[in-house]
Amino acid sequence: MMAIGMVAKGNGWTPKFEDIMCSMDSLGKMPKGAVVEMKEAMQLARRFNRAVVRPYALELDRKMQQDPTYLPWEFVEEANRWGFYTMWIPKLFGGKGWNLGSMIPFVEELATECLGMANLIGVQYFGISILFSTWNVRLIDMICREVVEGEKSGKPCLVSGAVTEPEAGTDAEEVELLSKARVRCHARKVDGGYLVNGTKVFISNGHLSTWHMLIAYEDLERPEETMVCLAVKNGMKGFSIGRMEKKMGQKGCPASELIFEDCFIPDDHVCFNAEQMKGLRRSAKETGMQVIDFVVSATRPGVGAMATGAARGAFQEALRFARQTEVEGKLLVNHEWAQCLLAEMYKNMTLARLTYMECAHINGRYGLASLMNHKPVYYYSRSMPTSFFDRIMPASNRRAITTKLVRKLVMDGQKEEDAMRASGWASLSKFAATDLAMENCRLALELMGRAGIRQDRRVEKILRDAKLLQIYEGTNQLNRLNLFKCLIGPYAPEARVFEE
Amino acid sequence: MRTDLNGELMMLREMAREFAEKELVEGREERDNYPFGPPPDDLLAEAVKVGFFSIMLPEEMGGSARPLSALCLVLQEICRVDASLGAAIFTHALAMEIIKRAGGSAILEDVSSTETSLSKALIAFPSFDNPGETEPEAIAGKKGDSYEISGMVNYLVLGGLAKRALLAAKMKEGGGNSFFLVDLERDGVSISEPVLSLGLHACPSVDLSLSRAKAMLIGEEGKGDLLFEEAVDRLSVAAAAMACGIIKGSFDDALQYCRERVQGGREIVDWSEVRMMLAGMAIRGKVAEMLVERASAAVDGEEKGWQLASRAAALHTQQLAYEVTIDGVQLLGGNGYMKDYAQEKRFRDAEQLQALMGFTPLRKLKYIRRIIEGEPAWAG
Ligand SMILES: Cc1cc2nc3c(=O)[nH]c(=O)nc-3n(C[C@H](O)[C@H](O)[C@H](O)COP(=O)(O)OP(=O)(O)OC[C@H]3O[C@@H](n4cnc5c(N)ncnc54)[C@H](O)[C@@H]3O)c2cc1C
């Protein structure tokens, strides 16, 4: 396996400082303003929670039980009005340019009140992360500006990410498995573009999105080497949206089927394919994994943050209940065992947060948007208004040479060990935080007894919502294996992953 | 104890299994939609007709006079497919147990002899409450030679369906809680819309608001908490049987799915981590099965320490059910999270069942208190 910073020394394991203490290593290296932005994002989320999320969360959940095909446009429009769909789009592409690191505490806040609504906003950046991970600057510019336009016009322009297929879920998240996968979403190269056939399933926000970042394969026998990413827009001939799943939780956020029947995607909608990536130092397969890793390194800590929100929501409801309820003649909160149980929940929530914050440091230094954290770049971008960039950027963003240069810089520039560290830690945060969240839900339900099982007490919804966190963005099993591959494997050269 | 029951028990189990497969698989998802779908009346009526609601009643009262083991077997088979019906049977059985202990045989007879009407054949009961833990919000006072109750009763299981409810109320004059039978169709009773809950949707519940509703005392005044605890001693193992049924159903479906689902070029059952998860489920299931069988025999035989055996079985099996069903969802990946598969329902149902008969932590504390106060911890 690839070495990460260290090579195996006998049977020892001696990690580098930044592998285990990246946050400490980052002290002074990250712009202070990024922390200010985190606080501001948190405050903004709290305001939004008070005004929109908390008053509507239970009602939306109930509405969806009554009518599982309901689409929560009113919420999406409200989030659009608040500017959340462009908040983390860089100013270079017309967005508000908030530092990417500020998104995760924002997501935690929202998730504390409603995971479904947090996802309705968060998934936007899953789609956009896929787009950014291809480093196709022209398409990034075009689609991001449409999103910004959608904000101005009040017609939300959302972006979904379509990877999973009926027969390939785990397999679609890992190139080593992809070579054996039963993927069916075929992109056949034809004159002037691709002809796509196949189906994607469980696509969050599918029914609500205008753009869909589609992963397909030129050769279904060699998907690991022929992955393509296509920008599909609603209304394209041969593209339709199918069924909407009936889920246990996160009900407000639709999971959609996307259907492609001889759908023609023109060349100028190709975010990346093997052809475009020629000239980079990695093979097509390695580049495919690099793209996946760029995405999941950014989004899995986001799931960690959602899980932290769930752990915290459960804790808060349990505490509220313990302070209000008398049991065996005294307030629950005054029983020693209940205090220990609440302490356990506090610990779970805090550990979950620590994992995603560590990822924030790692991503800030080495991840998708690390470029924006170089102090001169950061402060320059922060101090100039978007309108300034709007005057100069679109023209250069549209030029092919820009994409070429950026890819050289970012993709070729990324060191293996940095990619592995980010991906491994993202997995750690994803499965650790989501397991901790489930544990907190269980503890809250135990503490609350009969009250906990009622939908009007909120906590059972958190349990239903949180279970999804262990499944999407790669199941927790895949994420354990990815941690092994990225953080342990390099020290155990004899180890093979996905080959047993 | 009668020893000729083994064969009979086997037959009963077969019958319950057949019923579950024939009546419960189809329409499970639709029933789970309640209250946004049709109410489960027909199914409950069918189950009443088959005799699932009177398994332990004496023969002279129209029951089949079977031991608790029989109820456990039936609940296990039913909960394998749909725990909602199990919870309805359990709730009714717990109420009947209390009435029986209180010497209310006239009432039992009345319930079982009116099989024609579903509402008369069911007793609603707040089976997720232990009246000794959180003070009842209903208060009873004497009125002539009868009683009147005012106040709230939350999460009354079967409340929208049954004509009568067994309720605990605090006595106006002080003293402990007492049980009362209330006719829900009479004046002074107002019933809420169905309460939306985590699981067991087809075992409907309501909130009750009482205003000087006429009530009949069950047992002695002030002896409610004791009656409840005695009934819990016996019926806990039935709660364990429900959890055990869910575990079995969850495992069976997971194993089947893992044999069919292919990822990474092979059936996922051939990935060793998947096997590890399945092993964890199967072992927990086996432990649960043995536990229920042994504990229910201990209860029926009134073996030394049967009360704690019954309670330990419930507490432990309910915990196992949570651990198993969470993996039961996980092994189906995204599909496990969808209503089209029964796994997410089992997960919700299992987690709801842990709240039966009061707070889990308090049930644990009560368990150890009894040992500290002298009940033997071990059978041997
Ligand atoms: C509500 C929802 C929203 C979603 N949103 C999106 C979205 O927006 N975009 C998108 O592309 N996808 C989305 N997904 C898909 C999600 O990422 C997949 O469900 C997930 O990757 C798991 O894939 P699967 O469902 O096919 O499960 P499978 O891959 O079939 O897994 C089944 C089980 O087998 C295990 N398993 C599989 N392979 C192995 C192995 N090699 N070793 C050990 N265990 C293994 C898994 O851990 C799991 O327990 C969403 C899913 C859901 C449920």
Side-chain angles (χ1 to χ4, degrees):
Chain A
M1 291 187 75
M2 267 182 286
I4 157 174
M6 268 286 311
V7 278
K9 283 189 192 145
N11 291 324
W13 180 76
T14 321
K16 277 183 163 180
F17 185 76
E18 57 266 39
D19 288 344
I20 52 172
M21 287 202 187
C22 192
S23 43
M24 289 295 110
D25 195 54
S26 300
L27 281 182
K29 292 179 185 147
M30 300 269 279
K32 266 201 185 122
V35 180
V36 176
E37 283 188 63
M38 279 188 179
K39 289 185 188 164
E40 287 171 356
M42 208 182 230
Q43 292 309 326
L44 183 60
R46 288 184 180 174
R47 278 206 301 283
F48 185 63
N49 275 348
R50 280 194 298 273
V52 179
V53 179
R54 182 141 183 120
Y56 190 41
L58 289 183
E59 191 185 329
L60 179 59
D61 184 61
R62 190 190 162 112
K63 238 184 216 168
M64 299 301 304
Q65 291 177 58
Q66 205 154 4
D67 174 11
T69 61
Y70 181 79
L71 291 172
W73 278 111
E74 67 290 343
F75 175 83
V76 173
E77 280 160 9
E78 192 62 24
N80 195 44
R81 260 193 296 280
W82 283 65
F84 297 147
Y85 292 118
T86 64
M87 209 162 137
W88 289 279
I89 291 177
K91 289 180 179 173
L92 303 175
F93 305 106
K96 295 190 183 59
W98 284 60
N99 189 270
L100 200 58
S102 67
M103 194 198 304
I104 26 188
F106 176 89
V107 164
E108 177 189 323
E109 291 301 320
L110 255 54
T112 304
E113 293 297 348
C114 180
L115 282 170
M117 291 181 183
N119 214 35
L120 277 164
I121 295 170
V123 163
Q124 172 81 344
Y125 295 95
F126 174 60
I128 286 181
S129 296
I130 296 180
L131 176 62
F132 269 85
S133 299
T134 68
W135 299 104
N136 187 322
V137 183
R138 182 182 55 79
L139 279 168
I140 293 174
D141 189 76
M142 180 178 99
I143 292 170
C144 287
R145 285 180 194 282
E146 277 199 31
V147 175
V148 173
E149 205 39 55
E151 184 176 298
K152 286 188 185 136
S153 67
K155 293 202 181 71
C157 175
L158 270 53
V159 185
S160 84
V163 183
T164 307
E165 303 188 8
E167 292 184 67
T170 299
D171 284 358
E173 304 246 348
E174 164 61 56
V175 282
E176 293 304 330
L177 292 170
L178 205 45
S179 58
K180 299 169 204 148
R182 293 179 173 179
V183 287
R184 299 278 185 268
C185 200
H186 187 210
R188 184 160 63 89
K189 191 73 193 93
V190 293
D191 233 14
Y194 283 99
L195 208 57
V196 180
N197 279 288
T199 306
K200 294 281 167 180
V201 288
F202 304 154
I203 306 310
S204 298
N205 280 359
H207 277 80
L208 299 166
S209 296
T210 308
W211 284 95
H212 311 272
M213 296 300 120
L214 171 70
I215 301 294
Y217 310 92
E218 282 183 37
D219 182 350
L220 297 183
E221 299 298 312
R222 292 183 305 126
E224 74 283 10
E225 289 165 18
T226 63
M227 194 162 103
V228 298
C229 176
L230 309 171
V232 181
K233 194 171 185 183
N234 286 352
M236 282 180 152
K237 202 163 155 273
F239 167 56
S240 60
I241 302 204
R243 65 180 251 144
M244 192 167 140
E245 300 291 343
K246 285 181 277 176
K247 312 196 298 302
M248 168 162 71
Q250 296 200 18
K251 286 175 185 287
C253 182
S256 320
E257 181 187 32
L258 308 187
I259 301 165
F260 302 88
E261 291 162 312
D262 282 338
C263 174
F264 177 74
I265 312 285
D267 280 333
D268 61 1
H269 279 50
V270 179
C271 302
F272 91 82
N273 59 10
E275 185 61 32
Q276 284 187 21
M277 296 303 190
K278 270 188 186 149
L280 295 176
R281 70 180 170 87
R282 289 179 177 81
S283 69
K285 180 175 163 184
E286 286 163 355
T287 305
M289 194 66 226
Q290 189 185 20
V291 170
I292 294 177
D293 271 339
F294 268 131
V295 177
V296 295
S297 300
T299 55
R300 284 175 182 161
V303 179
M306 288 181 66
T308 308
R312 178 168 140 202
F315 165 74
Q316 284 175 191
E317 296 304 332
L319 178 62
R320 199 192 317 270
F321 181 80
R323 293 179 54 199
Q324 290 169 346
T325 312
E326 271 203 13
V327 159
E328 293 186 334
K330 65 179 176 202
L331 277 180
L332 201 46
V333 77
N334 282 328
H335 291 255
E336 187 187 65
W337 65 265
Q339 293 172 354
C340 286
L341 189 144
L342 286 164
E344 190 69 19
M345 293 180 77
Y346 192 94
K347 174 211 77 178
N348 290 341
M349 161 189 84
T350 306
L351 287 182
R353 184 176 303 112
L354 289 174
T355 66
Y356 85 65
M357 284 315 297
E358 189 68 14
C359 291
H361 287 287
I362 294 171
N363 276 331
R365 296 280 303 288
Y366 312 108
L368 197 56
S370 52
L371 217 56
M372 304 304 294
N373 285 325
H374 291 290
K375 285 177 186 169
V377 181
Y378 176 85
Y379 285 110
Y380 183 69
S381 156
R382 190 140 187 236
S383 59
M384 303 308 260
T386 305
S387 56
F388 166 78
F389 295 103
D390 283 350
R391 281 200 298 278
I392 53 167
M393 290 315 294
S396 75
N397 284 346
R398 278 197 287 272
R399 293 173 58 190
I401 184 75
T402 312
T403 292
K404 244 194 157 67
L405 283 175
V406 170
R407 280 183 177 155
K408 266 260 167 277
L409 182 73
V410 184
M411 300 186 82
D412 276 356
Q414 191 189 35
K415 286 194 275 178
E416 249 66 55
E417 65 172 298
D418 293 343
M420 300 271 266
R421 184 186 302 114
S423 179
W425 268 90
S427 282
L428 184 150
S429 177
K430 199 273 178 185
F431 75 77
T434 57
D435 288 354
L436 290 164
M438 290 310 288
E439 182 60 11
N440 263 19
C441 293
R442 191 182 67 78
L443 290 173
L445 278 166
E446 272 197 24
L447 184 84
M448 292 172 70
R450 180 250 289 154
I453 60 182
R454 299 174 67 106
Q455 294 195 1
D456 51 15
R457 295 310 289 250
R458 289 176 183 268
V459 73
E460 68 80 40
K461 173 176 174 297
I462 305 177
L463 175 87
R464 285 186 286 119
D465 288 354
K467 181 68 191 96
L468 178 54
L469 303 172
Q470 295 182 314
I471 298 170
Y472 63 15
E473 290 283 321
T475 62
N476 281 10
Q477 289 66 46
L478 173 78
N479 276 289
R480 285 190 175 81
L481 290 164
N482 191 53
L483 184 154
F484 182 90
K485 175 180 130 180
C486 294
L487 301 181
I488 303 172
Y491 297 94
E494 61 283 359
R496 299 282 173 273
V497 188
F498 303 114
E499 283 181 24
E500 73 171 6
Chain B
M1 193 183 65
R2 288 165 68 183
T3 51
D4 59 341
L5 281 175
N6 265 345
E8 248 180 74
L9 283 184
M10 292 298 169
M11 269 168 56
L12 187 68
R13 180 165 67 188
E14 278 315 303
M15 189 204 60
R17 183 172 294 176
E18 223 168 84
F19 180 90
E21 277 160 14
K22 235 174 66 202
E23 307 284 342
L24 297 184
V25 177
E26 211 183 295
R28 170 172 48 193
E29 190 193 332
E30 203 191 347
R31 285 193 305 277
D32 189 55
N33 253 341
Y34 186 79
F36 304 113
D41 299 32
D42 292 349
L43 180 68
L44 287 169
E46 188 60 29
V48 168
K49 211 165 90 193
V50 178
F52 290 155
F53 282 81
S54 50
I55 292 173
M56 294 194 304
L57 268 192
E59 272 162 15
E60 61 276 17
M61 293 178 190
S64 37
R66 310 233 187 225
L68 192 60
S69 313
L71 178 68
C72 289
L73 285 178
V74 167
L75 285 175
Q76 230 182 96
E77 291 307 322
I78 283 173
C79 293
R80 233 168 147 145
V81 182
D82 186 352
S84 279
L85 177 59
I89 295 172
F90 176 87
T91 295
H92 179 81
L94 185 59
M96 297 291 264
E97 180 72 25
I98 291 171
I99 296 173
K100 193 166 78 186
R101 289 188 165 265
S105 52
I107 300 154
L108 299 181
E109 235 165 289
D110 186 38
V111 168
S112 49
S113 68
T114 52
E115 279 178 26
T116 41
S117 135
L118 176 66
S119 68
K120 280 190 180 165
L122 301 179
I123 303 274
F125 184 64
S127 48
F128 289 86
D129 258 349
N130 180 335
E133 289 171 357
T134 42
E135 225 172 55
E137 290 171 54
I139 297 173
K142 208 153 179 147
K143 179 88 190 288
D145 50 6
S146 165
Y147 291 82
E148 277 182 355
I149 306 187
S150 296
M152 287 291 298
V153 175
N154 287 314
Y155 213 80
L156 176 65
V157 183
L158 297 176
L161 292 170
K163 176 177 160 54
R164 283 167 292 195
L166 181 68
L167 308 171
K170 202 161 57 172
M171 301 309 297
K172 207 191 280 171
E173 299 78 21
N177 302 315
S178 314
F179 275 110
F180 295 93
L181 200 66
V182 174
D183 188 333
L184 300 175
E185 292 168 0
R186 304 266 300 250
D187 288 348
V189 178
S190 81
I191 293 179
S192 73
E193 292 290 298
V195 178
L196 298 181
S197 59
L198 168 60
L200 306 174
H201 292 173
C203 175
S205 302
V206 297
D207 291 336
L208 208 60
S209 154
L210 302 163
S211 166
R212 305 181 59 188
K214 206 159 172 290
M216 179 204 287
L217 179 70
I218 297 292
E220 289 173 49
E221 255 188 46
K223 289 278 161 35
D225 294 352
L226 188 67
L227 267 179
F228 184 82
E229 294 299 339
E230 284 175 1
V232 169
D233 278 346
R234 260 175 78 72
L235 270 281
S236 281
V237 66
M242 294 167 70
C244 179
I246 297 181
I247 290 174
K248 287 180 173 179
S250 181
F251 172 79
D252 290 346
D253 281 11
L255 177 61
Q256 189 189 341
Y257 189 87
C258 292
R259 283 191 157 134
E260 290 163 7
R261 176 72 173 173
V262 174
Q263 287 294 285
R266 59 177 86 165
E267 284 80 34
I268 57 173
V269 75
D270 288 332
W271 289 106
S272 60
E273 176 61 7
V274 167
R275 286 198 176 195
M276 208 48 123
M277 290 168 75
L278 284 168
M281 293 170 75
I283 292 163
R284 287 179 175 90
K286 195 74 201 165
V287 168
E289 186 184 53
M290 293 188 292
L291 195 50
V292 171
E293 197 182 317
R294 185 76 276 281
S296 58
V299 175
D300 281 332
E302 297 196 355
E303 294 173 20
K304 180 178 162 200
W306 63 267
Q307 296 92 335
L308 291 188
S310 175
R311 283 173 181 260
L315 283 163
H316 190 62
T317 313
Q318 284 165 342
Q319 163 80 27
L320 295 178
Y322 175 79
E323 293 163 3
V324 167
T325 53
I326 197 172
D327 280 354
V329 173
Q330 191 69 15
L331 281 168
L332 270 68
N335 282 333
Y337 198 67
M338 304 306 169
K339 301 260 165 210
D340 318 53
Y341 295 78
Q343 296 296 71
E344 64 85 31
K345 177 182 180 307
R346 290 196 174 98
F347 172 65
R348 286 184 290 109
D349 290 350
E351 192 50 8
Q352 174 142 340
L353 283 179
Q354 64 74 30
L356 267 180
M357 300 174 293
F359 294 87
T360 297
L362 294 186
R363 283 194 286 140
K364 288 184 188 164
L365 286 174
K366 201 162 291 158
Y367 186 89
I368 195 63
R369 191 183 306 148
R370 283 168 64 161
I371 292 175
I372 292 166
E373 287 170 1
E375 277 185 52
W378 318 119

